Amino acid sequence: MPAAFDNLAIAQHRDTLRYETIRGGGYRPSIRRFYVGDYVYLQQTALTTLDVTAERTILRVREVLPSGVLLLEGRDDVVWKDHVRNCAPCHLPNVDGTMDPSLAIVRAGLRCMLCGSVGQAARMLVCDRCSRGWHMSCLTPPIYVIPAGR
């Protein structure tokens, strides 16, 4: 019986150390290699260890830079930049790779570069290259119809 209690104490101590390492951010998964055309999930920073760390959006790798930064594109043809360590591979066999720019939505909290306001996301134009936004009414001259194309 005493040996079983000693083993239990050892296991509890090991679990405590593992929990402290994971909770403190000391654990980092190994960095994976991604290639152009691979599909990935973009990981988000977890608030607690119980949170899911991957978003449900699947992005395609457009370019792999030497610094470890990936240029990712979604179905809406919007380009994201993020480091390899923040991406998880997607192994789904049935990913639809067609692009549809009409799916583009303005991300929450995007400020207009001219007035600084966050509102009126439906009337905001977003640059395809730098992802900055401008309200159509703030431009000089104002634009009343969303322009076609990129």
Side-chain angles (χ1 to χ4, degrees), residues 100-117:
D100 186 2
S102 67
L103 296 173
I105 56 170
V106 177
R107 63 181 162 87
L110 182 65
R111 295 188 177 280
C112 175
M113 294 303 295
L114 296 175
C115 71
S117 169

Side-chain angles (χ1 to χ4, degrees), residues 96-134:
D96 181 16
T98 59
M99 296 293 166
D100 186 2
S102 67
L103 296 173
I105 56 170
V106 177
R107 63 181 162 87
L110 182 65
R111 295 188 177 280
C112 175
M113 294 303 295
L114 296 175
C115 71
S117 169
V118 180
Q120 298 180 350
R123 304 295 297 162
M124 188 175 280
L125 297 176
V126 180
C127 178
D128 292 330
R129 290 188 177 201
C130 65
S131 298
R132 294 181 183 167
W134 293 266

Side-chain angles (χ1 to χ4, degrees), residues 43-57:
Q43 293 181 333
Q44 59 190 6
T45 55
L47 301 175
T48 68
T49 55
L50 301 176
D51 289 339
V52 177
T53 59
E55 293 181 10
R56 292 165 35 162
T57 306

Side-chain angles (χ1 to χ4, degrees), residues 50-107:
L50 301 176
D51 289 339
V52 177
T53 59
E55 293 181 10
R56 292 165 35 162
T57 306
I58 299 172
L59 303 170
R60 182 172 47 198
V61 177
R62 177 187 272 187
E63 186 178 347
V64 181
L65 302 177
S67 62
V69 173
L70 299 176
L71 292 179
L72 307 167
E73 61 185 355
R75 280 199 65 210
D76 55 1
D77 209 21
V78 173
V79 178
W80 299 77
K81 270 188 182 180
D82 214 325
H83 199 272
V84 175
R85 67 175 167 255
N86 297 328
C87 296
C90 172
H91 301 292
L92 295 176
N94 58 350
V95 177
D96 181 16
T98 59
M99 296 293 166
D100 186 2
S102 67
L103 296 173
I105 56 170
V106 177
R107 63 181 162 87

